[in-house]
């Protein structure tokens, strides 16, 4: 298999004979969705740790083993 | 003991600690494959004879659709294990899987609709596969909603597991829909047991993207499950130590 770039220039790569908006739109939406999935756990973790720390500060006596 | 691993696996703390070191590798390899596969598919793969360049959507449409179904099995089987062996961790996996599946199903539907416009001439047609994929999407949303609906986590876990199991009948329907109602979707072109009817120049980037989506899915599922572990175990001393460390 020889891998050759299928387009002559950047414009034809972006335009893709009229299919460009469809193709690029799909890739954009997909990577948006994947980026959300990738980033959300990190944000939730940060929020969780912040909440737990605030909770621990508010009632230090209530903390401990259960 | 042969059963020891099973009990250990049921321990959220053990799971949390064990998965820690896999995560960066899983994420890195998934990202590399995603980027490589996308560039290959977008720029170096051939344009299809009849569909032209719109066929490049296949490299994200098919992996998203495959993972939306594989993810449903993960979710339903995790729910079943939770119901049968009362394994808490298994319920956490089920809960973590639902939103990932919903997003992947949405992406499969979205990319399918956009691909449909230039090739079939319509954004949306209620053919067998699209309809059963909409049902899949609703099942995922139903499980997300059920998890939010109950104050009692135990009840939420049991009821959403039952829904996940009942909804499993939809997966073979999606899979066979292209053969049963042969309307617009073509039957499978990438086959494990027979010769595939897709050219290697398209099959290689496609297989790479499918692998990338599988790894990405595993990466996100593990991280969401770990987050759920922290939430549900927040009163234990090991989570409080972890919080204190930052």
């Amino acid at each position: 298999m020889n891998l050759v770039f299928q387009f002559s220039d950047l414009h034809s790569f972006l335009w893709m004979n009229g299919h460009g908006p469809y193709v690029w739109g799909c890739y954009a939406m997909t990577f948006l969705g994947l980026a959300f999935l990738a980033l959300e756990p990190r944000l939730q973790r940060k929020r969780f740790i912040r909440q737990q720390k605030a909770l621990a500060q508010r009632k230090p006596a209530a903390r401990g083993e259960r | 003991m042969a059963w020891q691993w099973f009990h250990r696996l049921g321990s959220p703390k053990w799971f949390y600690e064990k998965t820690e070191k896999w995560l960066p590798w899983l994420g890195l390899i998934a990202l590399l494959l995603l980027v490589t596969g996308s560039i290959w598919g977008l720029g170096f793969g051939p344009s299809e004879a009849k569909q032209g360049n719109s066929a490049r959507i296949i490299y994200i449409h098919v992996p998203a659709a495959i993972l939306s179904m594989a993810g449903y099995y993960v979710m339903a089987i995790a729910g079943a294990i939770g119901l049968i062996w009362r394994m808490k961790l298994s319920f956490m996996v089920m809960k973590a899987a639902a939103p990932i599946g919903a997003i992947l199903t949405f992406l499969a539907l979205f990319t399918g609709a956009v691909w449909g416009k230039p090739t079939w001439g319509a954004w949306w047609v209620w053919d067998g596969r699209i309809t059963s994929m909409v049902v899949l999407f609703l099942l995922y949303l139903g499980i997300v909603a059920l998890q939010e609906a109950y104050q009692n986590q135990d009840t939420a876990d049991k009821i959403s597991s039952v829904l996940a199991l009942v909804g499993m009948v939809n997966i073979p329907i999606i899979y066979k829909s292209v053969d049963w109602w042969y309307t617009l979707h073509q039957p499978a072109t990438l086959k494990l047991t027979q010769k595939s009817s897709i050219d290697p120049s398209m099959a290689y980037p496609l297989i790479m993207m499918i692998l990338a989506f599988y790894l990405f899915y595993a990466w996100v599922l593990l991280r969401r499950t770990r987050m759920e572990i922290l939430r549900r175990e927040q009163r234990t001393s090991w989570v409080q130590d972890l919080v204190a460390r930052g």
Side-chain angles (χ1 to χ4, degrees):
Chain A
M1 185 190 315
N2 55 338
L3 285 177
V4 185
F5 193 61
Q6 301 287 309
F7 301 93
S8 54
D9 51 51
L10 184 67
H11 176 259
S12 68
F13 182 45
L14 293 177
W15 182 238
M16 290 192 174
N17 291 323
H19 287 158
Y22 300 104
V23 174
W24 292 106
C26 280
Y27 277 79
M29 181 53 105
T30 300
F31 276 91
L32 202 70
L34 297 186
F36 173 79
L37 285 174
L39 294 177
E40 202 217 1
R42 177 180 293 257
L43 296 176
Q44 285 194 348
R45 192 191 157 86
K46 277 188 181 151
R47 198 189 314 148
F48 173 81
I49 287 182
R50 204 170 52 229
Q51 280 172 352
Q52 291 297 308
K53 278 192 168 160
L55 213 67
Q57 273 176 356
R58 218 180 303 151
K59 39 177 185 178
R63 257 195 84 205
E65 304 256 352
R66 293 192 193 194
Chain B
M1 286 295 287
W3 278 94
Q4 216 173 6
W5 66 269
F6 194 70
H7 288 291
R8 276 223 216 104
L9 201 65
S11 153
K13 179 173 186 264
W14 183 84
F15 179 90
Y16 192 93
E17 284 162 359
K18 276 290 158 188
T19 49
E20 182 103 53
K21 54 180 174 292
W22 305 347
L23 286 174
W25 294 105
L26 210 51
L28 188 72
I29 296 169
L31 186 70
L32 281 176
L33 286 177
L34 273 177
V35 171
T36 317
S38 295
I39 294 174
W40 191 346
L42 280 169
F44 295 88
S47 61
E48 211 261 352
K50 291 204 187 82
Q51 304 186 3
N53 285 310
S54 70
R56 297 183 194 282
I57 296 172
I58 198 175
Y59 306 111
I60 47 179
H61 176 71
V62 167
I66 287 178
L67 262 293
S68 70
M69 290 190 274
Y72 197 89
Y73 279 125
V74 169
M75 183 177 72
I77 290 168
I81 292 173
L83 287 176
I84 297 166
W85 285 290
R86 314 217 164 278
M87 195 189 266
K88 276 195 293 179
L89 177 64
S90 196
F91 283 134
M92 299 184 208
V93 172
M94 181 204 63
K95 184 181 177 182
I100 316 176
I103 289 180
L104 288 171
T105 312
F106 169 77
L107 289 176
L109 285 168
F110 180 89
T111 53
V114 175
W115 193 2
K117 187 61 186 162
T119 45
W120 297 341
W123 298 103
W124 195 268
V125 180
W126 290 100
D127 91 324
R129 178 156 279 184
I130 301 178
T131 309
S132 47
M133 280 298 277
V134 170
V135 173
L136 182 74
F137 184 56
L138 295 176
L139 281 166
Y140 275 127
L141 290 187
I143 285 157
V144 172
L146 279 178
Q147 281 286 344
E148 301 298 322
Y150 291 91
Q151 284 288 316
N152 185 317
Q153 188 61 56
D154 200 41
T155 316
D157 285 338
K158 281 180 186 154
I159 291 183
S160 37
S161 297
V162 171
L163 175 65
L165 281 170
V166 172
M168 212 150 98
V169 295
N170 189 38
I171 303 291
I173 295 177
I174 299 175
Y175 187 68
K176 296 303 282 181
S177 59
V178 283
D179 302 322
W180 291 343
W181 307 286
Y182 183 56
T183 50
L184 283 169
H185 267 95
Q186 57 183 333
T189 46
L190 201 60
K191 301 183 197 80
L192 287 177
T193 46
Q194 304 158 32
K195 197 175 181 329
S196 295
S197 49
I198 181 171
D199 192 74
S201 59
M202 285 181 87
Y204 291 143
L206 181 58
I207 290 167
M208 180 182 269
M209 286 299 272
I210 293 171
L211 187 64
F213 269 64
Y214 265 105
L215 294 175
F216 182 85
Y217 181 88
W219 182 59
V220 176
L221 183 69
L222 284 179
R223 289 165 68 221
R224 292 192 75 94
T225 304
R226 285 160 56 87
M227 198 49 236
E228 194 58 28
I229 289 172
L230 291 185
R231 273 199 212 100
R232 296 196 193 184
E233 304 264 300
Q234 57 179 268
R235 298 214 172 98
T236 61
S237 54
W238 75 270
V239 175
Q240 294 198 346
D241 288 346
L242 194 138
V243 168
R245 272 183 274 127

